[in-house]
């Protein structure tokens, strides 16, 4: 008998992808013998291959409305996939269109699009935390444990790497000063991160700056004002960040993808939110996570952040 074929759709972004890893695992556990395909975008394809929950990874090129040939190629591939069930974890207008363009009889479909077989219709869906929303969606599709609950906490246990090349000692902290380039209000000012990095240095905790090329100028500015900081801008992979987070004394950062990666390792961390995003819906969760929110992040003092910091172990010297 041919294996059942399952499709999971998750296109991004990084924080959302990390939050969905528990759902990926739950789907694999529910379909242990199925052939499961992940449909995602280029930045997350390698993660999909490495996590071990998928048999294959397909790339969605996010065709523009006028790119008819690319739309046709993707829909033709989806139609030919022979999928018995689709878990649309993106639940966007784009993925709703994929459902509508599939030929009848359509596969079972878990999502929010009208007409799908396992439609999530919870009226409070839009106000739910991402993890609660995913759990509710999967429960509608029949996934739950014997207690009627579903544990979909992010799982990055598979992500590991040797970060010895960075020459870090035991006492270091991760600093994530970046964020969305088009939502600058979500960033604590670079001068504040620089002052906080100095506060860490005074306690013999080495600040390790991580981020992508979009944050290069910000991280360079922080490193210029805190000479003890190690600037790893553009040099770290997700598995390396995950491995460092498992050893870091603490972490602090804006509401950005790498902080979800760090929080998933249970590293003590402080995540900074402005009025531009709602921690009740998107913040990392856990007893090790502290959320600080202000309408404007430039009103958040270094002293307030420092007072919220918890270390994995007491600093060598105060």
């Amino acid at each position: 008998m041919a294996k059942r074929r399952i499709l999971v759709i998750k296109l991004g972004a990084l924080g959302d992808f990390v939050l969905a890893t528990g759902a990926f695992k739950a789907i694999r556990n529910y379909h242990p013998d199925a052939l499961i395909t992940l449909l995602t975008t280029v930045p997350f394809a390698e993660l999909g291959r490495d996590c071990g929950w998928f048999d294959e990874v397909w790339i969605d090129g996010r065709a523009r409305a006028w790119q008819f040939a690319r739309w046709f190629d993707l829909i033709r591939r989806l139609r030919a996939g022979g999928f018995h069930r689709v878990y649309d974890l993106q639940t966007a207008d784009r993925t709703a269109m994929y459902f509508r363009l599939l030929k009848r009889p359509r596969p079972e479909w878990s999502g929010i699009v009208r007409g799908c077989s396992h439609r999530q219709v919870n009226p409070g869906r839009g106000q739910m935390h991402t993890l609660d929303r995913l759990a509710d969606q999967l429960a509608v599709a029949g996934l739950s444990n014997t207690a009627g609950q579903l544990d979909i906490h992010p799982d990055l246990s598979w992500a590991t790497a040797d970060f010895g090349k960075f020459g870090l000692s035991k006492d270091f902290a991760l600093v994530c000063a970046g964020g969305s380039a088009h939502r600058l209000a979500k960033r604590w000012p670079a001068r504040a991160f620089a002052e906080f990095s100095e506060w860490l240095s005074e306690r013999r905790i080495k600040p390790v700056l991580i981020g992508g090329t979009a944050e290069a100028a910000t991280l360079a500015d922080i490193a210029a004002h805190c000479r003890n900081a190690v600037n790893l801008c553009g040099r770290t992979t997700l598995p390396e960040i995950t491995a460092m987070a498992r050893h870091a004394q603490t972490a602090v950062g804006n509401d950005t993808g790498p902080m979800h990666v760090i929080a998933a390792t249970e590293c003590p961390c402080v995540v900074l939110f402005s009025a531009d995003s709602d921690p009740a819906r998107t913040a990392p969760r856990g007893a090790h996570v502290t959320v600080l929110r202000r309408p404007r992040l430039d009103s958040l003092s270094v002293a307030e952040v420092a007072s919220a910091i918890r270390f994995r172990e007491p600093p060598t010297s105060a």
Side-chain angles (χ1 to χ4, degrees), residues 246-263:
R246 293 191 182 106
H247 292 83
Q249 290 286 6
T250 191
V252 64
N254 301 319
D255 171 27
T256 186
M259 287 305 296
H260 283 278
V261 175
I262 293 165

Side-chain angles (χ1 to χ4, degrees), residues 155-210:
D155 185 345
L156 294 180
S157 58
W158 49 271
T160 187
D162 180 1
F163 61 94
K165 63 183 180 182
F166 300 129
L168 301 177
S169 63
K170 174 185 175 183
D171 294 330
F172 68 92
L174 297 178
V175 178
C176 300
S180 175
H182 62 281
R183 299 179 70 183
L184 296 181
K186 293 178 66 175
R187 297 190 184 191
W188 201 32
R191 56 174 172 76
F193 272 112
E195 186 178 338
F196 175 77
S197 296
E198 286 287 358
W199 180 87
L200 287 171
S201 296
E202 290 169 1
R203 284 149 183 81
R204 297 188 180 180
I205 302 291
K206 186 173 289 294
V208 177
L209 314 180
I210 60 174

Side-chain angles (χ1 to χ4, degrees), residues 188 192 195-200 202-203 250 252 270 272 290 292 300-311:
W188 201 32
E195 186 178 338
F196 175 77
S197 296
E198 286 287 358
W199 180 87
L200 287 171
E202 290 169 1
R203 284 149 183 81
T250 191
V252 64
V270 176
L272 313 178
T290 299
L292 294 180
L300 179 63
S301 72
V302 172
E304 289 176 288
V305 175
S307 67
I309 288 292
R310 289 174 291 166
F311 293 104

